[in-house]
Amino acid sequence: EYDQTQRLHGQAGYPPADGPACFRGAPIDLHLLPKTLPDRDEEAAEESEDDDQDIDRTSREAILVAQEIRKLLGRDGAAPMHVMERDGAGGMSPRPIRPRDIVILLRSLKFKSDQFAQVLRGFDIPVHTDSGSGFFQSIEIRDMVALLSLLDNRRQDIPLAAVFRSPLSQLPDLGTQLAKIRLAYPSESIPFHEAAIRYAAEKTDDALATQLNVFFTQLARWRDAAQRRPLAEVVWTIYHQTGYLAFVAGLRNGEQRVANLMHLHERAGQFGRFHERGLSRFLRFLEQLEEEADLAQPSLASQADDVVKVMSIHRSKGLEFPVVIVPDLGKAINMQDCRGAILLDRSAGLGMAVVDEEKRCRYPSLAQTIVQSRLRQQSLAEELRVLYVAMTRAREHLILVGTCDEKASEKWDSRWRGHAGPLPADAVLGARSMLDWIGPVSVAARTEPHEVIRTTRHSPEEVATWKSPAEAREKLSPEHAAMARLEPLPDPPAPSDAASRAIAQIAFEYPFHAYSQLPGSQSVTARHKKPLAGPHAGGAERLPGSGAITLALPEFMLEGPAPSAADRGTATHVVLEHLNFAGPCDREDVAREIARMVEGRLMTAAQAAMVDVEAIIWLMQSEAGSLLRQGGGSVRREIPVNFPAEPLSSVPHPLDRTMIRGRLDVLVTGPEGATILDYKTDDVSMAAVPSRAEFYRPQLAAYRNAIEKITGMPVARVWLVFLTPRVLFPLVGLESELQ
């Protein structure tokens, strides 16, 4: 019973609409669409629950909603409608309506929100939908999932055929050539993937075989990358190498397709942070997502943007909007809970059908009829509450859209014209859709002194003229179509200023390209390291004189991780940086100094074990060691050095140069000039020291040049200290190296 306790009382205090662009007249618009169009046959019209018809009905209602929104926004030439907004003084003033003032409420978002959003985007209306479905059904995601399945296991027929037919394979149209592969081995019962591999290997003089070989080679590279690199990086590599993002961007609804592919890439990145990773697990993860609940396609706009929102009625509780559109009112109410041989109600109990074994028939019992009646009332009551929530979200205007049979609207006119008071119980309980409640009310409300519901009936002939966004899009002329296919023009364009500007833009070359190839900074090692020659130039690095390459034992065969040459070099440099040169520097003193460094947390015990103590003792007893021990305050260790590189001929400006960064092991200054010492822990023999020293010569020459320019002091000596073979090697002739 709708009494004063349920009645809505307006408290906003809207001023009277005095402008032509403000909402005035009936606050509710009811649009009735025909169930069938003129070209539909009568047999199909009777199948009201057919999926195809349901899709057609949703598309027609979405087109009508898009047209109404465009009218409200003033997109079709008319002035935009105005809605009321509170000003700073607490009053209300009109302002032009914006997309964010409009909301579309659906009973469920899962199946129809994406369809509404797609149609609205086709009519250039910005839209945001919270959730829905269709992510895994989009063709671009299906193509990528098929390719990822091949990377996981290439011996699969359906994924291979799907990738062949997709742009990812970059193969020509395989409409007939797929059959050509299959028919090449008619007498042998081999799977399609094996036939494709054999075709590529055996048909050496065939163009298709050549293209298949190129594809299988690329597929092998991606498979190798999928085993070595993060999954998100592999997905992005596929996008980049195939140009798939650019391809789908040029298709219809391309912006949404690109968003779908980017969402797949983000999912791969998120999955890469899981403990159990890998391509196989990622594919199973996607399968579980699709089975449990299909993902929504990512929205192109956020809810905070100026967009039309598509929401579920349940999620709109507690919210209000200036304009609310409620479509799909002709959809049949779901009565699945009222059907079945066994029904259960909390208060009425258990209702079961009666089975007559002798007559072999089944009929409803009294208990089942009572339970079924109560369940039906509860279902209808819930639908009434949902409808009540949807219609009371509107502040200024409510648009209702439903599809029904033309005979239904005629029955409403004949039965409910002039009716006063609430609808009878049989009319409420006999409803099959929400429109069965709203239709009679729209007719009965005509007796009200003010127009409450403005009903618009759209004829089948009118609806048949509506065009979908794809049909409404302007067709390309033959000339434009030829340009889209990148065909050459039949005649060169006449010379003009516009043509000259266009040609100049296409032929433009960036004048500062050389600067874009110039690194801002670079280490002295990377800049002056010469490429290695010999059989190992393209594989593992082998310095001159290092002898045969010996592979280290695997870590699982060692008690701990095997120290690398870089680890030993780092540990040795730490000791020489903090060693007290004023001490005796014998075996006991060096061991004591290393223990002090471990205690002071300058290095770890594991690093201390890597240090060659005998090599350090040898250094302290050599000529270089005497210089270090007698230098006192003139010895500086681990000095960062930064200096500009030589100007390049390709870069004309002298100040546009790369900054070279390095670190000197030791710099000793004295009256005769400076001395540079560079420690080397390379594992080389004494005979190989000269060739190894030549490898380091350019780096030391750069250091010498930088020190002389920065300090103004000549560099008298440059020593390479090879600790492993116990060799102190002086570098001479660095002046010629710098010229």
Side-chain angles (χ1 to χ4, degrees):
E1 190 71 24
Y2 187 83
D3 55 19
Q4 291 298 326
T5 61
Q6 285 86 26
R7 188 175 298 276
L8 287 177
H9 300 277
Q11 300 293 329
Y14 282 86
D18 54 358
C22 294
F23 288 108
R24 54 198 310 176
I28 303 175
D29 273 333
L30 174 61
H31 293 269
L32 299 177
L33 278 68
K35 183 175 293 187
T36 58
L37 299 183
D39 57 345
R40 304 281 298 207
D41 56 13
E42 295 182 359
E43 181 179 355
E46 296 176 358
E47 301 176 359
S48 59
E49 299 301 323
D50 184 76
D51 291 340
D52 294 337
Q53 278 206 351
D54 188 60
I55 294 174
D56 292 342
R57 182 180 68 244
T58 304
S59 298
R60 294 196 294 266
E61 293 187 5
I63 294 173
L64 173 65
V65 169
Q67 293 174 351
E68 291 298 312
I69 293 176
R70 288 185 62 87
K71 291 178 184 177
L72 294 175
L73 298 176
R75 297 284 182 87
D76 295 326
M81 296 298 294
H82 284 60
V83 296
M84 295 296 175
E85 185 178 52
R86 291 195 180 274
D87 51 25
M92 286 194 173
S93 58
R95 64 163 175 83
I97 191 172
R98 301 292 303 166
R100 64 173 178 268
D101 300 318
I102 305 171
V103 66
I104 300 173
L105 299 181
L106 295 173
R107 186 67 173 87
S108 174
L109 294 177
K110 184 174 182 181
F111 300 105
K112 298 183 179 179
S113 61
D114 289 330
Q115 195 169 355
F116 269 87
Q118 183 175 352
V119 172
L120 263 62
R121 292 191 190 103
F123 281 92
D124 296 327
I125 298 173
V127 61
H128 169 77
T129 177
D130 288 330
S131 63
S133 59
F135 178 74
F136 289 108
Q137 279 67 43
S138 57
I139 187 64
E140 60 277 359
I141 297 301
R142 294 170 65 181
D143 287 347
M144 279 300 302
V145 171
L147 180 57
L148 293 177
S149 299
L150 282 185
L151 299 186
D152 181 48
N153 178 13
R154 71 172 187 172
R155 296 184 176 277
Q156 300 183 82
D157 290 351
I158 295 179
L160 180 63
V163 173
F164 277 170
R165 295 298 302 271
S166 74
L168 289 167
S169 64
Q170 298 183 349
L171 296 174
D173 183 18
L174 294 178
T176 58
Q177 301 197 44
L178 287 179
K180 183 178 179 181
I181 297 174
R182 178 72 275 178
L183 295 175
Y185 306 96
S187 59
E188 304 178 43
S189 58
I190 60 175
F192 174 76
H193 68 270
E194 189 67 31
I197 295 174
R198 290 181 58 179
Y199 192 97
E202 297 175 1
K203 309 293 183 180
T204 56
D205 56 345
D206 187 79
L208 176 60
T210 303
Q211 294 161 351
L212 289 176
N213 279 314
V214 172
F215 169 74
F216 285 130
T217 302
Q218 180 66 275
L219 187 66
R221 296 195 192 101
W222 290 337
R223 283 172 53 86
D224 182 69
Q227 298 174 1
R228 300 172 181 268
R229 293 158 52 190
L231 183 59
E233 186 178 341
V234 175
V235 172
W236 188 257
T237 300
I238 294 173
Y239 291 167
H240 176 70
Q241 294 182 354
T242 61
Y244 198 43
L245 285 176
F247 175 83
V248 300
L251 300 178
R252 179 172 173 263
N253 201 21
E255 193 174 1
Q256 181 64 59
R257 298 177 187 273
V258 172
N260 291 342
L261 292 175
M262 295 303 297
H263 187 66
L264 179 66
H265 175 260
E266 293 172 3
R267 285 277 180 176
Q270 295 170 358
F271 186 83
R273 295 192 289 268
F274 293 172
H275 176 66
E276 294 185 354
R277 294 170 290 181
L279 181 56
S280 298
R281 292 188 177 94
F282 180 66
L283 291 172
R284 289 199 297 270
F285 170 69
L286 294 181
E287 291 176 0
Q288 292 175 358
L289 283 180
E290 187 175 6
E291 291 175 359
E292 295 174 1
D294 188 12
L295 293 179
Q297 298 189 51
S299 179
L300 300 179
S302 68
Q303 192 169 1
D305 294 338
D306 187 15
V307 294
V308 175
K309 299 179 181 64
V310 181
M311 302 176 63
S312 67
I313 297 176
H314 284 288
R315 192 168 294 184
S316 68
K317 288 182 178 180
L319 303 177
E320 288 183 343
F321 304 90
V323 178
V324 172
I325 302 175
V326 185
D328 204 27
L329 294 175
K331 176 68 175 178
I333 297 175
N334 188 0
M335 291 295 179
Q336 286 296 116
D337 294 341
C338 308
R339 301 168 185 168
I342 302 176
L343 302 177
L344 179 64
D345 179 68
R346 184 181 298 273
S347 58
L350 189 65
M352 303 176 63
V354 177
V355 178
D356 192 331
E357 296 182 356
E358 294 183 0
K359 297 181 179 180
R360 295 182 176 272
C361 66
R362 176 184 296 171
Y363 55 89
S365 65
L366 178 60
Q368 186 184 37
T369 303
I370 294 175
V371 173
Q372 188 176 42
S373 177
R374 288 187 60 85
L375 292 177
R376 179 177 177 82
Q377 290 184 22
Q378 293 172 13
S379 298
L380 293 174
E382 174 63 19
E383 294 301 313
L384 273 173
R385 286 190 289 269
V386 170
L387 179 61
Y388 178 85
V389 169
M391 294 195 297
T392 52
R393 299 309 95 200
R395 290 206 303 257
E396 299 188 36
H397 198 64
L398 176 64
I399 299 177
L400 305 176
V401 180
T403 301
C404 66
D405 194 347
E406 293 184 9
K407 297 179 181 179
S409 60
E410 296 175 358
K411 291 179 181 178
W412 297 336
D413 285 337
S414 61
R415 181 177 179 183
W416 302 106
R417 183 180 298 147
H419 177 82
L423 295 181
D426 62 333
V428 177
L429 296 176
R432 300 182 59 187
S433 67
M434 292 182 178
L435 204 57
D436 290 339
W437 293 320
I438 298 174
V441 172
S442 66
V443 175
R446 296 175 187 172
T447 59
E448 296 292 327
H450 301 287
E451 187 180 17
V452 178
I453 302 179
R454 181 171 50 242
T455 304
T456 303
R457 293 181 175 86
H458 301 274
S459 65
E461 292 74 19
E462 175 193 355
V463 176
T465 61
W466 293 351
K467 294 182 179 180
S468 65
E471 295 171 340
R473 191 176 292 113
E474 183 178 354
K475 302 297 183 182
L476 292 177
S477 64
E479 293 79 8
H480 290 163
M483 293 178 63
R485 293 191 297 269
L486 300 179
E487 296 179 0
L489 297 176
D491 299 315
S496 63
D497 294 339
S500 300
R501 288 194 300 269
I503 294 175
Q505 290 179 354
I506 296 175
F508 173 77
E509 293 185 4
Y510 184 55
F512 305 103
H513 178 72
Y515 292 89
S516 67
Q517 306 298 317
L518 189 67
S521 65
Q522 192 176 25
S523 68
V524 65
T525 304
R527 185 173 183 85
H528 294 284
K529 190 173 183 179
K530 297 178 181 179
L532 300 175
H536 299 282
E541 180 176 319
R542 189 183 75 161
L543 298 176
S546 60
I549 294 180
T550 58
L551 298 178
L553 290 175
E555 291 187 5
F556 69 87
M557 297 181 64
L558 303 174
E559 294 183 358
S564 64
D567 296 333
R568 289 191 293 269
T570 301
T572 303
H573 278 73
V574 171
V575 172
L576 291 174
E577 179 184 0
H578 298 91
L579 184 65
N580 182 16
F581 292 155
C585 294
D586 53 12
R587 182 174 289 100
E588 292 76 10
D589 181 62
V590 172
R592 189 166 49 250
E593 286 290 298
I594 294 176
R596 178 183 61 82
M597 297 177 196
V598 174
E599 184 179 359
R601 297 186 178 182
L602 296 175
M603 63 191 310
T604 64
Q607 289 177 315
M610 303 177 191
V611 179
D612 187 352
V613 177
E614 297 298 330
I616 295 178
I617 296 172
W618 163 82
L619 172 62
M620 292 297 100
Q621 296 174 353
S622 66
E623 181 182 357
S626 301
L627 180 65
L628 295 176
R629 299 177 64 186
Q630 299 172 5
S634 63
V635 177
R636 301 184 62 184
R637 296 181 256 189
E638 297 295 329
I639 306 174
V641 181
N642 296 277
F643 54 94
E646 300 81 9
L648 298 177
S649 58
S650 59
V651 180
H653 201 286
L655 295 181
D656 288 317
R657 290 186 282 173
T658 300
M659 180 61 69
I660 306 300
R661 63 184 186 276
R663 183 174 291 271
L664 279 179
D665 291 341
V666 179
L667 176 66
V668 183
T669 58
E672 299 179 357
T675 300
I676 295 176
L677 274 73
D678 196 48
Y679 307 132
K680 298 300 179 184
T681 58
D682 301 359
D683 187 11
V684 295
S685 63
M686 187 174 297
V689 166
S691 61
R692 182 66 64 88
E694 290 301 316
F695 179 78
Y696 291 115
R697 177 181 291 274
Q699 302 175 32
L700 274 300
Y703 279 137
R704 174 175 181 167
N705 185 31
I707 292 299
E708 289 183 342
K709 289 184 177 181
I710 293 173
T711 64
M713 180 187 306
V715 176
R717 291 174 294 184
V718 177
W719 279 337
L720 280 172
V721 182
F722 290 94
L723 295 171
T724 299
R726 315 286 199 271
V727 174
L728 184 63
F729 192 89
L731 282 177
V732 296
L734 294 181
E735 295 82 357
S736 60
E737 181 74 23
L738 296 173
Q739 293 176 355

